[in-house]
Amino acid sequence: MGRADPEEGQLPAPVKPPDGGWGWIVLFGCFVITGFSYAFPKAVSVYFKELMKDFHVGYSDTAWISSIMLAMLYGTGPVCSIMVNQFGCRPVMLIGGLLASSGMILASFTTNIIELYLTAGVLTGLGMALNFQPSLIMLGSYFDKRRPLANGLAAAGSPVFLSSLSPLGQVLLEKFGWRGGFLIMGGLLLNCCTCGAVMRPLDMGMKRKMEKAQDKYEAKEMLPIGGKSEEGISTTDGTKKAKKAKKKPKKGKKLLDFSIFSNRGFIIYTISKFILVLGLFVPPILLVNYAKDTGVPDTEAAFLLSIIGFIDIFARPACGMVAGLKWVRPHVAYLFSFAMLFNGLTDICSARASNYTGLVIFCVFFGISYGMVGALQFEVLMAIVGSQKFSSAIGLVLLIEAFAVLIGPPSAGRLVDALKNYEVIFYLAGSEVVLSALFLAIATYCCLNRGKKKEPPPAKNPSAGGGSDTEEAESDVQEADEHSSDNHQPANSTDNAVVAASEEANHVSEEQSGEGGGRPKGDGEVLAQDGCNADQVVEKDRF
């Protein structure tokens, strides 16, 4: 009783995440999507040597396939946000799965490197982008209290799939060639459609519950309790219809919400993330060549990346559990700053590693810090903007990160070619990561925490992210409650009896006060306030 009408568009704001149930299925789907999105561009590199022989191109030409995939993953963020806000997460993910699969299948029939760029690069990259962003949005809508743990578990898909797709690609290459391997990889990407199918919108289930509750309420109100009740029900329905007619013009959904740029926390996060991406991916890209230049054999040098991936698998869920603690979660931005600081100092301290043991120690600490960053990056963004604006926020953040991805690693490669010294590159990358950590921590403390102390405490609002529409919905609920309470009152004859009884009570109290006896002054008013009706007051006066 007193619930908002589900057709009025007021349900998404107060919907409470279940923190479990079907959310675990959504979490598994997000785990698979994250694994494909981050690991697939790297796993394709096992086919590069065969592509170089067949197409008579160099390594830099084939490396553009992975670069185009990553550029599509990051650069198409606003496009994904617009499509999600317009059509929802599930349809966008289904289309993305079909595009990703068709791109790899068509790539198995290509005859030149340009066609490979368009199929495996553009189509597959766009398909994975249309899966990655909606999966994170759905994860944020299904989890609230356990969201840090959910983000950590979902982020663990990246190292798990990287450690499995690369050996699988090598096996497929040896048995079926690169064309057969691309064809089978395209079939595997159809699993993205399955993951998209399980992304059931949370509002649909809540709407069904609300409709059932309304049916019970209407059936209860239709019980024969007098003509006044039917009049009250009709009046309530008329009020709801009038409110609904007023609210319909307000139903305008933004395709891309640029109002998040007015959020100081979002601006700080975006700047920090841009600086972070400039140096975050440089060490793992140059690590193998750096080890080879120090005299490490090829097999042992390649094993260093496996160490990072193995540590990363356990670091991400563990960091998610720590971030979910009650005394840690309010300060998750500072935990994210610590993770970035840890990663940057690891790069700087390992710049002078000259033997295999030192590089192994670097890989262990880098895997821990890299996993912490991966587990916390989207959790911090969700905490800053909220689930209602997360779809627009992540699209804009990924677009800005795309520029940093295109600037950081290529610039590092050019510096290596010019200086022939990896030590300077590690110092530079570590300094960029440390700078991003310090900027996030200092700016959060100075611009956000001090601002909260100066501002007066806001009024409590039970619905997160609610605005004027939510307040109007609450007023509708109060009006409906008032009408429903009127429905339970007796008929007109009973009302007249109550009025007559109250007049009689006032007459008796005046006589007693004039005689100087009876109860103290104001006693009848207190009793009336305590909930006694007029009949009870009359009986007490007579005694």
Side-chain angles (χ1 to χ4, degrees):
M1 187 172 74
R3 294 178 182 267
D5 193 350
E7 297 178 358
E8 294 182 19
Q10 300 295 329
L11 279 174
V15 168
K16 184 179 180 180
D19 277 308
W22 190 258
W24 298 117
I25 306 298
V26 174
L27 173 59
F28 179 75
C30 190
F31 173 87
V32 175
I33 295 298
T34 304
F36 275 124
S37 300
Y38 280 115
F40 199 84
K42 302 172 185 177
V44 174
S45 61
V46 300
Y47 299 99
F48 284 175
K49 287 187 178 181
E50 293 296 325
L51 295 175
M52 292 167 60
K53 293 179 181 178
D54 286 2
F55 295 142
H56 305 288
V57 294
Y59 181 81
S60 59
D61 296 323
T62 56
W64 271 104
I65 300 173
S66 298
S67 299
I68 293 174
M69 283 186 182
L70 291 174
M72 295 299 294
L73 179 65
Y74 285 95
T76 57
V79 178
C80 298
S81 297
I82 293 174
M83 294 183 67
V84 167
N85 291 333
Q86 182 68 24
F87 304 107
C89 292
R90 180 187 285 178
V92 173
M93 292 184 69
L94 292 174
I95 295 174
L98 292 176
L99 286 177
S101 176
S102 61
M104 292 302 295
I105 292 174
L106 292 175
S108 63
F109 299 99
T110 55
T111 56
N112 56 66
I113 195 68
I114 302 298
E115 294 176 356
L116 207 57
Y117 292 160
L118 297 176
T119 53
V122 176
L123 274 182
T124 302
L126 178 60
M128 289 189 296
L130 293 178
N131 275 273
F132 175 64
Q133 185 172 323
S135 67
L136 292 176
I137 296 172
M138 290 300 298
L139 187 68
S141 65
Y142 267 87
F143 288 91
D144 183 20
K145 294 181 180 179
R146 298 177 179 174
R147 193 178 64 200
L149 176 61
N151 278 317
L153 292 173
S158 175
V160 170
F161 272 65
L162 181 59
S163 60
S164 58
L165 286 179
S166 296
L168 177 62
Q170 189 64 39
V171 172
L172 295 176
L173 179 63
E174 295 174 356
K175 291 189 175 182
F176 305 103
W178 70 268
R179 294 185 184 275
F182 275 20
L183 190 63
I184 296 174
M185 286 286 193
L188 289 177
L189 286 175
L190 283 174
N191 288 294
C192 295
C193 295
T194 305
C195 296
V198 303
M199 299 293 173
R200 183 174 65 194
L202 188 60
D203 297 343
M204 291 180 61
M206 298 302 296
K207 283 183 180 180
R208 292 171 184 170
K209 294 180 180 179
M210 295 282 283
E211 289 174 357
K212 291 180 180 179
Q214 278 192 336
D215 293 340
K216 292 180 180 179
Y217 164 69
E218 292 174 357
K220 183 178 179 181
E221 293 297 321
M222 291 299 292
L223 292 175
I225 52 179
K228 181 102 176 192
S229 63
E230 296 177 0
E231 182 182 353
I233 292 174
S234 61
T235 307
T236 304
D237 294 338
T239 305
K240 288 185 177 180
K241 290 179 181 179
K243 291 290 182 179
K244 186 188 300 184
K246 292 180 181 179
K247 290 172 187 174
K248 279 185 178 180
K250 295 183 181 180
K251 289 176 64 178
K253 195 172 186 179
K254 296 181 180 179
L255 297 180
L256 194 62
D257 191 359
F258 289 97
S259 64
I260 55 176
F261 283 105
S262 61
N263 188 337
R264 290 181 296 179
F266 177 75
I267 299 296
I268 294 171
Y269 175 85
T270 304
I271 297 174
S272 175
K273 198 70 185 300
F274 179 83
I275 302 173
L276 171 69
V277 174
L278 288 175
L280 181 64
F281 301 120
V282 171
I285 291 175
L286 302 179
L287 178 62
V288 176
N289 291 332
Y290 178 41
K292 291 179 181 179
D293 288 352
T294 57
V296 177
D298 294 349
T299 55
E300 295 181 359
F303 184 69
L304 293 174
L305 292 178
S306 300
I307 296 175
I308 294 178
F310 181 77
I311 299 296
D312 195 4
I313 291 174
F314 298 97
R316 298 193 182 207
C319 184
M321 293 178 64
V322 173
L325 297 176
K326 293 182 179 180
W327 57 276
V328 176
R329 190 171 184 183
H331 311 288
V332 67
Y334 296 107
L335 181 61
F336 186 44
S337 300
F338 172 76
M340 293 188 293
L341 182 64
F342 185 16
N343 186 270
L345 293 177
T346 301
D347 296 340
I348 295 174
C349 294
S350 63
R352 293 189 176 183
S354 57
N355 53 32
Y356 189 71
T357 303
L359 292 175
V360 169
I361 296 174
F362 160 74
C363 290
V364 171
F365 285 99
F366 185 86
I368 296 173
S369 59
Y370 189 77
M372 292 176 65
V373 172
L376 295 173
Q377 55 179 345
F378 296 117
E379 168 61 25
V380 174
L381 181 60
M382 289 180 186
I384 291 174
V385 301
S387 59
Q388 298 295 322
K389 296 184 178 182
F390 181 71
S391 59
S392 298
I394 188 175
L396 296 171
V397 167
L398 290 177
L399 176 62
I400 296 172
E401 286 184 19
F403 293 101
V405 169
L406 295 176
I407 294 173
S411 301
R414 291 182 180 179
L415 287 175
V416 170
D417 294 336
L419 302 176
K420 305 296 181 182
N421 187 355
Y422 287 93
E423 183 178 337
V424 177
I425 307 303
F426 274 73
Y427 279 131
L428 180 61
S431 300
E432 291 170 344
V433 177
V434 169
L435 177 62
S436 65
L438 296 178
F439 174 80
L440 178 62
I442 296 174
T444 300
Y445 177 77
C446 296
C447 299
L448 298 182
N449 290 353
R450 289 188 176 182
K452 290 180 180 179
K453 293 179 180 179
K454 293 179 181 180
E455 294 176 357
K460 293 184 179 179
N461 192 352
S463 59
S468 58
D469 295 338
T470 307
E471 295 174 357
E472 293 178 2
E474 292 177 353
S475 63
D476 295 346
V477 173
Q478 293 177 357
E479 292 179 4
D481 288 339
E482 292 174 0
H483 286 291
S484 62
S485 62
D486 292 340
N487 296 338
H488 295 289
Q489 296 293 333
N492 295 332
S493 60
T494 309
D495 294 338
N496 295 332
V498 172
V499 172
S502 61
E503 292 178 355
E504 183 181 356
N506 294 333
H507 179 69
V508 173
S509 61
E510 289 176 359
E511 291 179 353
Q512 291 182 353
S513 61
E515 296 174 358
R519 65 181 179 272
K521 186 178 180 180
D523 193 14
E525 297 175 0
V526 175
L527 288 173
Q529 292 176 0
D530 289 341
C532 297
N533 55 28
D535 296 331
Q536 294 172 335
V537 175
V538 172
E539 293 296 330
K540 186 173 181 180
D541 289 337
R542 290 177 179 176
F543 284 106

